[in-house]
DNA sequence: CGATGCGTTGATAACTTTCAAATTTAGTGG
DNA sequence: CCACTAAATTTGAAAGTTATCAACGCATCG
């Protein structure tokens, strides 16, 4: 089903030598201290579409931040179904783990550039700088919120799920009313716990009732309040 | 639907004065430092069945730990549906929030005794003692894992959800194969994103196929491997 | 072209909800 | 302890929703 072996070989990312920590730590955080530091101690790695960044149960040695493109994290259920946990878009971070291993696999949904950060390095910095530790904690909290939102989404009807998904993507993309979906219908289906056919039909019906316009992966929201009303 | 006003009045819990922090912090953690500290700085409060501990969007001033009985946290969706986020049983903690407000409401599912801990006090301690901070972080991580598990559960069929739920409760209760459910069928339904009728029917069918025995809220697992097989 | 991947549409089957009613359980007062 | 009432749970039948199976359209690519 998946062709993710190729890139794996190129994955073990090199990262820069120890950064000028003290200077960074002692200066006032410019805007987003964590972001600055990540760029100092991380390396940008390119992944091609559908290639794997890491696999479930592998040692969680790295933390990631999307620079461009998109990434999906997912689990394969025992019966072969795939449940997508999250989509990560530019500026999103992922790969934060508390056990020593990744709890999901991660793949690029499009050609993507990703900042790869050694976890130990970052942890060490967090140990020295409370501000960094705090920002990491905030990230975790945000992740928790996101998952909670997902739970609420999954108890809804197909139409509500798709509508919620579109609203979410519109908010994250923030390109007015146009949404350029980076992921396939199958990805959306596996994210929403629906089949690809149901996603397709629901999009069509949303278009029929004039809430959106669909042309392949480009979606324009025509009636956002209607969408929001459908969110349940 | 809910009768939670009565207790609210009695809720604002008094907690003991500042504990002998230094002594505690400097000694070796006995077993579970956090548990010890919570009991020192917290107060046990009793809640009767179906009474509210806190409501969504209230200031999250307290942290809770179940002493006896059980607690449910939930949200009410815009259409009136209730989504239960989690059940908390003795020794479970809840009410950890990162924003200043609770993101769920909480009610006792049975008469319950709950250790109520002032959040500021605990946060102050965590600032002084890395061990406490670490344990709080672990709690958060565990919460995140739990929610992730829930997401996986919600994409499954009704039978898989109920089977998973029973397995989960059996593991947590750990009283051999007997499960004494503290919550109603409606609670279970709202937790699993099903209707009460579907939960009831599914239990009956699990009983018919000899996987479990049901007598009201007491459930005996007869064939755990069959249950596990159904988990998906 | 012909193959391949992706998305849409249709018909049917399976599953879950809804509505209604019967049955059991729990709580209360005598 | 029993009778009675309210609440909780189970069961049945019908309706609604989503999945499954199958076919088709439409691009891209060798």
């Amino acid at each position: 089903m998946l062709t993710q072996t190729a890139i794996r070989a190129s994955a073990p990312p090199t990262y820069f030598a120890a950064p000028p920590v003290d200077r960074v730590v002692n200066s006032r955080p410019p805007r987003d201290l964590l972001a600055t530091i990540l760029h100092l101690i991380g390396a940008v790695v390119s992944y091609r579409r559908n290639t794997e960044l890491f696999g479930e149960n592998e040692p969680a040695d790295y933390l990631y931040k999307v620079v461009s493109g998109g990434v999906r994290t997912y689990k394969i259920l025992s019966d072969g179904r795939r449940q997508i946990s999250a989509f990560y878009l530019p500026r999103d971070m992922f790969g934060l783990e508390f056990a020593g291993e990744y709890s999901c696999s991660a793949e690029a949904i499009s050609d993507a550039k990703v900042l790869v950060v050694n976890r130990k390095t970052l942890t060490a910095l967090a140990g020295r700088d409370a501000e960094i530790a705090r920002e990491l904690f905030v990230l975790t909290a945000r992740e928790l919120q996101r998952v909670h939102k997902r739970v609420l989404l999954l108890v809804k009807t197909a139409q509500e799920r798709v509508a919620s998904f579109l609203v979410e993507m519109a908010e994250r993309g923030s390109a007015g009313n146009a949404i350029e979906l980076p992921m396939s219908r199958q990805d959306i289906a596996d994210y929403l716990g629906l089949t690809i056919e149901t996603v397709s039909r629901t999009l069509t019906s949303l278009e029929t009732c004039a809430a959106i316009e669909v042309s392949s992966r480009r979606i324009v929201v025509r009636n956002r309040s209607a969408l929001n009303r459908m969110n349940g």
Side-chain angles (χ1 to χ4, degrees), chain A residues 173-186:
Chain A
S174 70
N177 286 326
I179 311 171
E180 193 67 50
L181 296 176
M183 71 290 286
S184 70
R185 296 286 192 272
Q186 186 64 60

Side-chain angles (χ1 to χ4, degrees), chain A residues 85 141-153:
Chain A
S85 304
R142 199 174 299 157
E143 186 74 15
L144 190 54
Q145 275 189 320
R146 190 189 291 223
V147 186
H148 266 131
K149 239 181 144 181
R150 245 171 103 38
V151 168
L152 288 183
L153 195 151

Side-chain angles (χ1 to χ4, degrees), chain A residues 24-93:
Chain A
V24 173
V25 171
N26 291 334
S27 68
R28 276 302 83 213
R31 170 65 58 90
D32 181 347
L33 175 61
L34 186 57
T36 308
I37 290 195
L38 290 181
H39 278 275
L40 282 172
I41 66 177
V44 174
V45 179
S46 293
Y47 294 90
R48 256 182 295 173
R49 195 163 80 93
N50 289 334
T51 55
E52 181 178 82
L53 279 73
F54 54 78
E56 192 175 342
N57 298 326
E58 291 179 7
D61 293 335
Y62 301 97
L63 212 72
Y64 299 79
K65 180 171 183 174
V66 180
V67 174
S68 67
V71 171
R72 62 176 169 250
T73 55
Y74 66 93
K75 292 191 184 199
I76 301 294
L77 278 63
S78 57
D79 63 354
R81 277 175 298 183
R82 181 184 67 161
Q83 172 59 27
I84 290 186
S85 304
F87 295 115
Y88 296 98
L89 303 181
R91 305 179 58 84
D92 289 336
M93 291 191 58

